[in-house]
Structure formats: structure tokens, C-alpha cells
Coordinates of all heavy atoms in Angstrom, one line a residue:
M1 N 165.3 72.8 -42.2 CA 164.8 72.4 -40.9 C 164.2 73.6 -40.2 O 165.0 74.6 -40.0 CB 165.9 71.7 -40.1 CG 165.4 71.2 -38.8 SD 164.4 69.7 -38.9 CE 165.7 68.5 -38.7
Q2 N 163.0 73.5 -39.7 CA 162.5 74.6 -38.8 C 163.1 74.5 -37.4 O 163.5 73.4 -37.0 CB 161.0 74.5 -38.8 CG 160.3 74.8 -40.1 CD 158.8 75.0 -39.9 OE1 158.2 74.8 -38.9 NE2 158.1 75.3 -41.0
R3 N 163.1 75.6 -36.8 CA 163.7 75.6 -35.4 C 162.8 75.0 -34.4 O 161.6 75.1 -34.5 CB 164.0 77.0 -35.0 CG 165.2 77.7 -35.8 CD 165.5 79.0 -35.3 NE 165.9 79.0 -33.9 CZ 165.6 79.9 -33.0 NH1 164.9 81.0 -33.4 NH2 166.0 79.8 -31.8
V4 N 163.4 74.3 -33.4 CA 162.7 73.9 -32.3 C 163.3 74.5 -31.0 O 164.4 75.0 -31.0 CB 162.7 72.3 -32.1 CG1 162.1 71.7 -33.3 CG2 164.2 71.8 -31.9
H5 N 162.5 74.5 -30.0 CA 162.9 75.2 -28.7 C 162.5 74.4 -27.5 O 161.4 73.8 -27.5 CB 162.2 76.6 -28.7 CG 162.5 77.3 -27.5 ND1 163.8 77.8 -27.1 CD2 161.7 77.8 -26.5 CE1 163.7 78.4 -26.0 NE2 162.5 78.4 -25.6
N6 N 163.3 74.3 -26.5 CA 163.0 73.6 -25.3 C 162.3 74.6 -24.3 O 163.0 75.5 -23.7 CB 164.3 73.1 -24.7 CG 164.1 72.4 -23.3 OD1 162.9 72.1 -22.9 ND2 165.1 72.1 -22.6
V7 N 161.0 74.5 -24.2 CA 160.3 75.5 -23.4 C 160.6 75.3 -21.9 O 160.3 76.2 -21.1 CB 158.7 75.5 -23.7 CG1 158.4 76.0 -25.0 CG2 158.2 74.1 -23.4
M8 N 161.1 74.2 -21.6 CA 161.5 74.0 -20.2 C 162.6 75.1 -19.8 O 162.6 75.5 -18.6 CB 162.1 72.6 -19.9 CG 162.3 72.2 -18.5 SD 160.8 72.3 -17.5 CE 160.1 70.7 -17.7
E9 N 163.4 75.5 -20.7 CA 164.4 76.6 -20.5 C 163.7 77.8 -20.0 O 164.1 78.5 -19.1 CB 165.2 76.9 -21.7 CG 166.2 75.8 -22.1 CD 167.0 76.2 -23.3 OE1 167.0 77.4 -23.7 OE2 167.6 75.4 -24.0
D10 N 162.6 78.2 -20.7 CA 161.8 79.4 -20.3 C 161.2 79.3 -18.9 O 161.3 80.2 -18.1 CB 160.7 79.7 -21.3 CG 161.2 79.8 -22.7 OD1 162.3 80.3 -22.9 OD2 160.5 79.4 -23.6
A11 N 160.6 78.1 -18.7 CA 159.9 77.8 -17.4 C 160.9 77.9 -16.2 O 160.7 78.5 -15.2 CB 159.2 76.5 -17.4
V12 N 162.1 77.3 -16.4 CA 163.1 77.3 -15.3 C 163.7 78.7 -15.2 O 163.9 79.1 -14.0 CB 164.2 76.2 -15.6 CG1 165.4 76.4 -14.6 CG2 163.7 74.8 -15.6
A13 N 163.9 79.4 -16.3 CA 164.5 80.7 -16.2 C 163.5 81.7 -15.4 O 163.9 82.4 -14.6 CB 164.8 81.3 -17.6
D14 N 162.2 81.6 -15.8 CA 161.2 82.4 -15.1 C 161.2 82.1 -13.6 O 161.3 83.1 -12.8 CB 159.8 82.1 -15.6 CG 159.5 82.7 -17.0 OD1 160.4 83.5 -17.4 OD2 158.5 82.4 -17.6
L15 N 161.2 80.9 -13.2 CA 161.1 80.5 -11.8 C 162.4 80.9 -11.1 O 162.4 81.3 -9.9 CB 160.8 79.0 -11.7 CG 159.9 78.6 -10.5 CD1 158.6 79.4 -10.4 CD2 159.6 77.1 -10.5
L16 N 163.5 80.7 -11.8 CA 164.8 81.0 -11.1 C 164.9 82.5 -10.9 O 165.3 82.9 -9.8 CB 165.9 80.5 -12.1 CG 167.4 80.7 -11.5 CD1 167.6 80.0 -10.2 CD2 168.4 80.1 -12.6
Q17 N 164.4 83.3 -11.8 CA 164.4 84.8 -11.6 C 163.6 85.2 -10.4 O 164.0 86.0 -9.6 CB 163.9 85.5 -12.9 CG 164.8 85.5 -14.1 CD 166.1 86.2 -13.8 OE1 166.3 86.9 -12.9 NE2 167.0 86.1 -14.8
Q18 N 162.4 84.5 -10.3 CA 161.5 84.8 -9.2 C 162.0 84.4 -7.9 O 161.8 85.1 -6.9 CB 160.1 84.1 -9.4 CG 159.3 84.7 -10.6 CD 158.1 83.8 -10.9 OE1 157.6 83.1 -10.0 NE2 157.7 83.8 -12.1
Q19 N 162.7 83.2 -7.8 CA 163.0 82.6 -6.5 C 164.5 82.7 -6.1 O 164.8 82.3 -5.0 CB 162.6 81.1 -6.6 CG 161.1 80.9 -6.9 CD 160.3 81.3 -5.7 OE1 160.7 81.3 -4.6 NE2 159.1 81.8 -6.1
W20 N 165.3 83.2 -7.0 CA 166.8 83.1 -6.8 C 167.2 83.7 -5.4 O 167.9 83.1 -4.6 CB 167.5 83.8 -7.9 CG 169.0 83.9 -7.8 CD1 169.8 85.0 -7.8 CD2 169.9 82.7 -7.6 NE1 171.1 84.6 -7.6 CE2 171.2 83.3 -7.5 CE3 169.7 81.4 -7.5 CZ2 172.3 82.4 -7.3 CZ3 170.8 80.5 -7.3 CH2 172.1 81.1 -7.2
R21 N 166.6 84.8 -5.1 CA 167.0 85.5 -3.8 C 166.4 84.7 -2.6 O 166.9 84.9 -1.5 CB 166.4 86.9 -3.7 CG 167.2 87.9 -4.6 CD 168.6 88.2 -4.0 NE 169.6 88.6 -5.0 CZ 170.9 88.7 -4.8 NH1 171.4 88.4 -3.6 NH2 171.7 89.0 -5.8
N22 N 165.4 83.9 -2.8 CA 164.8 83.1 -1.7 C 165.5 81.7 -1.5 O 165.3 81.1 -0.5 CB 163.3 82.9 -1.9 CG 162.6 84.2 -2.0 OD1 162.9 85.1 -1.3 ND2 161.6 84.3 -2.9
L23 N 166.2 81.3 -2.5 CA 166.8 80.0 -2.5 C 168.0 80.0 -1.5 O 168.7 81.0 -1.5 CB 167.2 79.5 -3.9 CG 166.1 79.2 -4.8 CD1 166.5 79.0 -6.3 CD2 165.4 77.8 -4.4
P24 N 168.3 78.9 -0.8 CA 169.3 78.9 0.2 C 170.7 78.7 -0.4 O 171.4 77.7 0.0 CB 168.9 77.8 1.1 CG 168.2 76.8 0.3 CD 167.5 77.7 -0.8
A25 N 171.1 79.5 -1.4 CA 172.4 79.3 -2.0 C 173.5 79.9 -1.2 O 173.3 80.9 -0.5 CB 172.4 80.0 -3.4
A26 N 174.7 79.2 -1.2 CA 175.8 79.7 -0.4 C 176.3 81.0 -1.1 O 176.9 81.9 -0.4 CB 176.9 78.7 -0.4
C27 N 176.1 81.2 -2.4 CA 176.6 82.4 -3.1 C 175.5 82.7 -4.2 O 174.9 81.9 -4.8 CB 177.9 82.0 -3.8 SG 178.5 83.3 -5.0
H28 N 175.2 84.0 -4.3 CA 174.2 84.5 -5.2 C 174.8 85.2 -6.4 O 174.1 86.1 -7.0 CB 173.2 85.3 -4.5 CG 172.2 84.6 -3.7 ND1 172.3 84.3 -2.3 CD2 171.0 83.9 -4.0 CE1 171.3 83.6 -1.9 NE2 170.5 83.3 -2.9
C29 N 176.0 84.9 -6.8 CA 176.6 85.6 -8.0 C 176.0 85.0 -9.3 O 175.4 83.9 -9.3 CB 178.1 85.4 -8.0 SG 178.7 83.9 -8.5
D30 N 176.2 85.7 -10.4 CA 175.7 85.3 -11.7 C 176.2 83.9 -12.1 O 175.6 83.1 -12.8 CB 176.0 86.3 -12.7 CG 175.0 87.5 -12.6 OD1 174.0 87.4 -11.9 OD2 175.3 88.5 -13.3
G31 N 177.5 83.6 -11.7 CA 178.1 82.4 -12.1 C 177.4 81.2 -11.4 O 177.1 80.2 -12.1
C32 N 177.2 81.3 -10.1 CA 176.5 80.3 -9.4 C 175.0 80.1 -9.9 O 174.5 79.0 -10.0 CB 176.5 80.5 -7.9 SG 178.2 80.3 -7.2
K33 N 174.4 81.3 -10.2 CA 173.1 81.2 -10.8 C 173.0 80.4 -12.1 O 172.1 79.6 -12.3 CB 172.6 82.7 -11.0 CG 171.1 82.8 -11.3 CD 170.8 84.3 -11.5 CE 169.3 84.5 -11.7 NZ 169.0 85.9 -11.9
A34 N 174.0 80.7 -12.9 CA 174.1 80.0 -14.2 C 174.3 78.5 -14.0 O 173.8 77.6 -14.7 CB 175.1 80.6 -15.1
D35 N 175.1 78.1 -13.0 CA 175.4 76.7 -12.7 C 174.1 76.1 -12.2 O 173.8 74.9 -12.6 CB 176.4 76.6 -11.5 CG 177.9 76.8 -12.0 OD1 178.1 76.7 -13.3 OD2 178.7 77.1 -11.2
V36 N 173.3 76.7 -11.4 CA 172.1 76.2 -10.9 C 171.1 76.0 -12.1 O 170.4 75.0 -12.2 CB 171.4 77.1 -9.8 CG1 170.0 76.7 -9.5 CG2 172.3 77.0 -8.5
Y37 N 171.1 77.0 -13.0 CA 170.2 76.9 -14.1 C 170.5 75.7 -15.0 O 169.6 74.9 -15.3 CB 170.4 78.2 -14.9 CG 169.5 78.4 -16.1 CD1 168.2 78.1 -16.1 CD2 170.0 78.9 -17.3 CE1 167.4 78.2 -17.2 CE2 169.2 79.1 -18.5 CZ 167.9 78.7 -18.4 OH 167.1 78.9 -19.5
A38 N 171.8 75.5 -15.3 CA 172.2 74.4 -16.2 C 172.0 73.1 -15.5 O 171.4 72.1 -16.1 CB 173.7 74.5 -16.5
L39 N 172.3 73.0 -14.2 CA 172.1 71.7 -13.5 C 170.6 71.4 -13.4 O 170.3 70.2 -13.6 CB 172.7 71.8 -12.1 CG 172.8 70.5 -11.3 CD1 173.7 69.5 -12.0 CD2 173.4 70.8 -9.9
T40 N 169.8 72.4 -13.2 CA 168.4 72.1 -13.1 C 167.8 71.6 -14.4 O 167.0 70.7 -14.4 CB 167.6 73.4 -12.6 OG1 168.2 73.8 -11.4 CG2 166.1 73.2 -12.5
L41 N 168.2 72.2 -15.5 CA 167.8 71.8 -16.8 C 168.2 70.4 -17.1 O 167.5 69.6 -17.8 CB 168.3 72.8 -17.9 CG 167.5 74.1 -18.0 CD1 168.2 75.0 -18.9 CD2 166.1 73.8 -18.4
N42 N 169.4 70.0 -16.6 CA 169.8 68.6 -16.8 C 169.0 67.6 -16.0 O 168.9 66.5 -16.4 CB 171.3 68.5 -16.4 CG 172.2 69.1 -17.5 OD1 171.9 69.2 -18.7 ND2 173.4 69.5 -17.1
R43 N 168.5 68.1 -14.9 CA 167.7 67.2 -14.0 C 166.3 67.0 -14.6 O 165.6 66.0 -14.3 CB 167.6 67.8 -12.6 CG 168.9 67.9 -11.9 CD 168.7 68.7 -10.6 NE 168.0 67.8 -9.6 CZ 168.7 67.1 -8.8 NH1 170.0 67.0 -8.8 NH2 168.1 66.3 -7.9
L44 N 165.7 68.0 -15.3 CA 164.4 67.9 -15.7 C 164.3 67.4 -17.2 O 165.2 67.6 -18.0 CB 163.7 69.3 -15.7 CG 163.6 69.9 -14.3 CD1 163.3 71.4 -14.3 CD2 162.5 69.2 -13.5
K45 N 163.2 66.8 -17.5 CA 162.9 66.3 -18.8 C 162.7 67.5 -19.8 O 161.9 68.4 -19.5 CB 161.7 65.4 -18.8 CG 161.5 64.6 -20.1 CD 160.4 63.5 -19.8 CE 159.9 62.9 -21.1 NZ 158.9 63.7 -21.8
P46 N 163.4 67.6 -20.9 CA 163.2 68.7 -21.8 C 161.8 68.6 -22.4 O 161.3 67.5 -22.5 CB 164.3 68.6 -22.8 CG 164.7 67.1 -22.8 CD 164.5 66.7 -21.3
H47 N 161.3 69.7 -22.9 CA 160.0 69.8 -23.5 C 160.1 70.6 -24.8 O 160.0 71.8 -24.7 CB 159.0 70.3 -22.5 CG 157.6 70.1 -23.0 ND1 156.6 69.5 -22.1 CD2 156.9 70.3 -24.2 CE1 155.5 69.4 -22.8 NE2 155.6 69.8 -24.0
Y48 N 160.4 69.9 -25.9 CA 160.7 70.6 -27.2 C 159.4 70.9 -27.9 O 158.5 70.0 -28.0 CB 161.7 69.8 -28.0 CG 163.1 70.0 -27.5 CD1 163.6 69.0 -26.7 CD2 163.9 71.1 -27.9 CE1 164.9 69.2 -26.2 CE2 165.2 71.2 -27.5 CZ 165.7 70.3 -26.6 OH 167.0 70.4 -26.2
V49 N 159.3 72.0 -28.5 CA 158.2 72.3 -29.4 C 158.8 73.0 -30.7 O 159.9 73.6 -30.7 CB 157.2 73.3 -28.8 CG1 156.5 72.7 -27.6 CG2 157.8 74.6 -28.4
R50 N 158.0 72.9 -31.8 CA 158.4 73.5 -33.0 C 158.0 75.0 -32.8 O 157.0 75.4 -32.3 CB 157.6 72.9 -34.2 CG 157.9 73.6 -35.5 CD 157.3 72.7 -36.6 NE 155.9 72.6 -36.6 CZ 155.0 73.4 -37.2 NH1 155.5 74.4 -37.9 NH2 153.7 73.1 -37.2
M51 N 159.0 75.8 -33.2 CA 158.8 77.3 -33.1 C 158.1 77.8 -34.4 O 158.4 77.4 -35.5 CB 160.1 78.0 -32.9 CG 160.7 77.7 -31.5 SD 159.7 78.3 -30.1 CE 160.2 80.0 -30.2
P52 N 157.3 78.8 -34.3 CA 156.7 79.4 -33.0 C 155.4 78.7 -32.6 O 154.9 79.1 -31.5 CB 156.5 80.9 -33.3 CG 156.1 80.8 -34.8 CD 156.8 79.7 -35.4
V53 N 154.9 77.8 -33.4 CA 153.6 77.2 -33.1 C 153.5 76.6 -31.7 O 154.3 75.7 -31.4 CB 153.2 76.2 -34.2 CG1 151.8 75.6 -34.0 CG2 153.3 76.9 -35.6
G54 N 152.5 77.0 -31.0 CA 152.1 76.3 -29.7 C 153.0 76.7 -28.6 O 152.8 76.2 -27.5
S55 N 154.0 77.5 -28.8 CA 154.9 77.8 -27.7 C 154.2 78.4 -26.4 O 154.5 78.1 -25.3 CB 156.1 78.7 -28.1 OG 155.6 79.9 -28.6
M56 N 153.3 79.3 -26.7 CA 152.6 79.9 -25.6 C 151.7 78.9 -24.8 O 151.6 78.9 -23.6 CB 151.7 81.1 -26.1 CG 152.5 82.3 -26.6 SD 153.9 82.8 -25.5 CE 153.0 83.3 -24.1
Y57 N 151.1 78.0 -25.6 CA 150.3 77.0 -25.0 C 151.1 76.1 -24.1 O 150.8 75.9 -22.9 CB 149.6 76.1 -26.1 CG 149.0 74.9 -25.5 CD1 147.7 74.9 -24.8 CD2 149.6 73.6 -25.5 CE1 147.2 73.8 -24.3 CE2 149.1 72.5 -25.0 CZ 147.8 72.6 -24.3 OH 147.3 71.5 -23.8
V58 N 152.3 75.7 -24.6 CA 153.1 74.8 -23.8 C 153.7 75.5 -22.6 O 153.8 74.9 -21.5 CB 154.2 74.1 -24.6 CG1 155.2 73.3 -23.8 CG2 153.6 73.3 -25.8
K59 N 154.1 76.8 -22.8 CA 154.6 77.5 -21.7 C 153.6 77.7 -20.6 O 153.9 77.5 -19.4 CB 155.0 78.9 -22.2 CG 155.9 79.7 -21.2 CD 156.5 80.9 -21.8 CE 157.3 81.7 -20.7 NZ 157.8 82.9 -21.2
A60 N 152.3 77.9 -21.0 CA 151.2 78.0 -20.0 C 151.1 76.7 -19.2 O 150.9 76.6 -18.0 CB 149.9 78.4 -20.7
H61 N 151.2 75.6 -20.0 CA 151.1 74.3 -19.3 C 152.2 74.1 -18.3 O 152.0 73.5 -17.2 CB 151.2 73.2 -20.4 CG 151.3 71.8 -19.9 ND1 150.3 71.1 -19.2 CD2 152.4 71.0 -19.9 CE1 150.8 69.9 -18.9 NE2 152.0 69.8 -19.2
L62 N 153.4 74.5 -18.7 CA 154.6 74.3 -17.8 C 154.5 75.2 -16.5 O 155.2 74.9 -15.5 CB 155.9 74.6 -18.5 CG 156.4 73.6 -19.5 CD1 157.5 74.1 -20.3 CD2 156.8 72.3 -18.8
M63 N 153.6 76.2 -16.6 CA 153.5 77.1 -15.4 C 152.3 76.6 -14.5 O 151.9 77.4 -13.6 CB 153.3 78.5 -15.9 CG 154.6 79.2 -16.3 SD 155.7 79.3 -14.9 CE 157.3 78.8 -15.5
T64 N 151.8 75.4 -14.7 CA 150.7 74.9 -13.8 C 151.4 74.7 -12.5 O 152.6 74.6 -12.3 CB 150.1 73.6 -14.3 OG1 151.2 72.6 -14.4 CG2 149.5 73.8 -15.7
V65 N 150.5 74.6 -11.5 CA 151.0 74.4 -10.1 C 151.9 73.2 -10.0 O 153.0 73.3 -9.4 CB 149.8 74.3 -9.1 CG1 150.3 74.0 -7.7 CG2 149.1 75.7 -9.1
Q66 N 151.5 72.1 -10.6 CA 152.3 70.9 -10.4 C 153.7 71.0 -11.1 O 154.7 70.6 -10.5 CB 151.5 69.7 -11.1 CG 152.3 68.4 -11.0 CD 152.6 68.0 -9.6 OE1 151.7 68.0 -8.7 NE2 153.8 67.6 -9.3
S67 N 153.7 71.7 -12.3 CA 155.0 71.8 -12.9 C 155.9 72.8 -12.1 O 157.1 72.5 -12.0 CB 154.8 72.4 -14.3 OG 154.0 71.5 -15.1
R68 N 155.3 73.8 -11.6 CA 156.1 74.8 -10.8 C 156.7 74.1 -9.6 O 157.8 74.3 -9.2 CB 155.2 76.0 -10.3 CG 154.9 77.0 -11.4 CD 154.0 78.0 -10.9 NE 154.5 78.8 -9.8 CZ 155.2 79.9 -10.0 NH1 155.4 80.4 -11.2 NH2 155.6 80.6 -8.9
A69 N 155.9 73.2 -9.0 CA 156.4 72.5 -7.8 C 157.6 71.6 -8.2 O 158.6 71.5 -7.5 CB 155.3 71.7 -7.2
T70 N 157.4 70.9 -9.3 CA 158.5 70.0 -9.8 C 159.7 70.8 -10.1 O 160.8 70.3 -9.7 CB 158.0 69.2 -11.1 OG1 156.8 68.5 -10.8 CG2 159.0 68.3 -11.6
I71 N 159.6 71.9 -10.8 CA 160.8 72.7 -11.1 C 161.4 73.3 -9.9 O 162.6 73.3 -9.8 CB 160.3 73.8 -12.1 CG1 159.9 73.2 -13.5 CG2 161.5 74.8 -12.4 CD1 159.2 74.2 -14.4
L72 N 160.6 73.7 -8.9 CA 161.1 74.3 -7.7 C 161.9 73.3 -6.9 O 162.9 73.6 -6.3 CB 160.0 75.0 -6.9 CG 160.4 76.0 -5.8 CD1 161.2 77.1 -6.4 CD2 159.2 76.5 -5.2
T73 N 161.4 72.1 -6.9 CA 162.1 71.0 -6.2 C 163.5 70.7 -6.8 O 164.5 70.6 -6.2 CB 161.3 69.7 -6.2 OG1 160.0 69.9 -5.6 CG2 162.0 68.5 -5.5
A74 N 163.5 70.7 -8.2 CA 164.8 70.5 -8.9 C 165.7 71.7 -8.7 O 166.9 71.5 -8.5 CB 164.5 70.4 -10.4
L75 N 165.2 72.9 -8.6 CA 166.0 74.1 -8.4 C 166.6 74.0 -7.0 O 167.8 74.3 -6.8 CB 165.1 75.4 -8.4 CG 164.9 76.0 -9.8 CD1 163.9 77.2 -9.7 CD2 166.2 76.5 -10.4
T76 N 165.8 73.6 -6.0 CA 166.3 73.5 -4.6 C 167.4 72.5 -4.5 O 168.4 72.7 -3.9 CB 165.2 73.2 -3.7 OG1 164.1 74.1 -3.8 CG2 165.6 73.2 -2.2
E77 N 167.2 71.3 -5.2 CA 168.3 70.3 -5.2 C 169.6 70.8 -5.8 O 170.7 70.5 -5.3 CB 167.7 69.0 -5.9 CG 166.7 68.3 -5.2 CD 167.2 67.6 -3.9 OE1 168.2 67.0 -3.9 OE2 166.5 67.8 -2.9
S78 N 169.4 71.5 -6.9 CA 170.6 72.0 -7.6 C 171.3 73.0 -6.8 O 172.6 73.0 -6.8 CB 170.1 72.7 -9.0 OG 169.5 71.8 -9.8
V79 N 170.6 73.9 -6.1 CA 171.2 74.9 -5.2 C 172.1 74.2 -4.1 O 173.2 74.6 -3.8 CB 170.1 75.8 -4.5 CG1 170.7 76.5 -3.3 CG2 169.6 76.8 -5.5
K80 N 171.6 73.1 -3.6 CA 172.3 72.3 -2.6 C 173.6 71.8 -3.1 O 174.7 71.9 -2.5 CB 171.5 71.1 -2.1 CG 170.4 71.5 -1.1 CD 169.7 70.2 -0.6 CE 168.3 70.4 -0.1 NZ 167.5 69.2 0.0
I81 N 173.5 71.3 -4.4 CA 174.7 70.7 -5.0 C 175.8 71.7 -5.3 O 177.0 71.6 -5.0 CB 174.3 69.9 -6.2 CG1 173.5 68.6 -5.8 CG2 175.6 69.5 -7.0 CD1 172.8 68.0 -7.0
I82 N 175.3 72.8 -5.9 CA 176.2 73.9 -6.3 C 176.8 74.6 -5.0 O 178.0 74.9 -5.0 CB 175.5 75.0 -7.1 CG1 175.0 74.4 -8.5 CG2 176.4 76.2 -7.4 CD1 176.1 73.8 -9.4
S83 N 176.0 74.8 -4.0 CA 176.5 75.4 -2.8 C 177.5 74.6 -2.1 O 178.4 75.1 -1.4 CB 175.3 75.7 -1.8 OG 174.4 76.6 -2.4
A84 N 177.4 73.2 -2.2 CA 178.4 72.3 -1.6 C 179.7 72.4 -2.3 O 180.8 72.1 -1.7 CB 177.8 70.9 -1.5
D85 N 179.7 72.7 -3.6 CA 180.9 72.7 -4.4 C 180.9 73.8 -5.4 O 180.9 73.6 -6.6 CB 181.1 71.3 -5.1 CG 182.4 71.2 -5.8 OD1 183.3 71.9 -5.5 OD2 182.4 70.4 -6.8
P86 N 181.0 75.1 -5.0 CA 180.9 76.2 -5.9 C 182.2 76.2 -6.8 O 183.3 75.8 -6.4 CB 180.8 77.5 -5.1 CG 181.3 77.0 -3.7 CD 181.1 75.6 -3.6
H87 N 182.1 76.8 -8.0 CA 183.2 76.8 -9.0 C 184.2 77.9 -8.8 O 184.8 78.3 -9.7 CB 182.6 76.8 -10.4 CG 182.0 75.5 -10.8 ND1 181.2 75.3 -11.9 CD2 182.0 74.2 -10.1 CE1 180.8 74.0 -12.0 NE2 181.2 73.4 -10.9
H88 N 184.2 78.5 -7.6 CA 185.1 79.6 -7.4 C 185.4 79.7 -5.9 O 184.8 79.0 -5.1 CB 184.6 80.9 -7.9 CG 183.3 81.3 -7.4 ND1 183.1 81.9 -6.1 CD2 182.0 81.2 -7.8 CE1 181.8 82.1 -5.9 NE2 181.1 81.7 -6.9
Ligands
ZN101 ZN1 179.1 82.4 -6.8

């Protein structure tokens, strides 16, 4: 079986890295960041591609303005949930 990859992971990780300091999180530690990352990926529809063919194309597609807005909304919602009940 050839490997497949969820390119949504890349898109969310990119945006989370860019926006983490701007998001209204109660705590900005790595643990809470990972919680937000996991929760956000659970909220968004995964986008699997066969590796490595087409990954750059799909990644570019996920970085369109509309996709970024959708991911940022999910990130903001996740930050609210994690901030209300941090795991430490
Ligand atoms: Zn924390």
C-alpha cells in the first residue's frame, strides 16, 4: 500500500504557527497548542492525498482565502474550548 497523507494537517499547522500568538488563548504553552491543533483537525474535514503526487497542488488549494478563513474560524473555536477547560 502506498502512503497517504492528510494535507489538512499541514494547512492547520501552518496557520496555527502563524496565528498562535494572536489567538485569544488562556495559555500559550506547547501542550495547549497541541490540544488546539488536535481539536481543530477533528472539527475540519480531512483532505487525504496519495503521497507524494499532487500534494503541493492540494496544499496550495487549502491555502486559498476561503480555506484559510474556514481553518481560522475552526482554530478560534478550538481556542475558546481549550481555554475554558485547559488540561493542566
Ligand atoms: Zn497550557
Side-chain angles (χ1 to χ4, degrees):
M1 181 75 90
Q2 291 192 355
R3 291 186 58 215
V4 296
H5 176 65
N6 177 13
V7 291
M8 188 60 85
E9 288 184 17
D10 302 327
V12 172
D14 282 354
L15 213 53
L16 184 57
Q17 287 297 349
Q18 289 170 29
Q19 300 294 330
W20 179 233
R21 287 285 155 193
N22 299 323
L23 290 166
C27 171
H28 282 96
C29 79
D30 282 348
C32 288
K33 190 178 185 181
D35 281 341
V36 168
Y37 182 44
L39 190 60
T40 302
L41 283 171
N42 284 335
R43 300 172 73 88
L44 294 166
K45 193 165 166 283
H47 196 129
Y48 283 95
V49 295
R50 177 165 64 90
M51 290 296 282
V53 179
S55 61
M56 291 314 293
Y57 168 79
V58 176
K59 192 169 177 183
H61 170 71
L62 284 169
M63 281 295 136
T64 61
V65 172
Q66 180 58 48
S67 297
R68 283 174 63 92
T70 301
I71 295 168
L72 198 54
T73 300
L75 275 174
T76 305
E77 289 295 313
S78 301
V79 162
K80 281 185 206 161
I81 292 166
I82 297 299
S83 293
D85 185 24
H87 289 169
H88 58 78

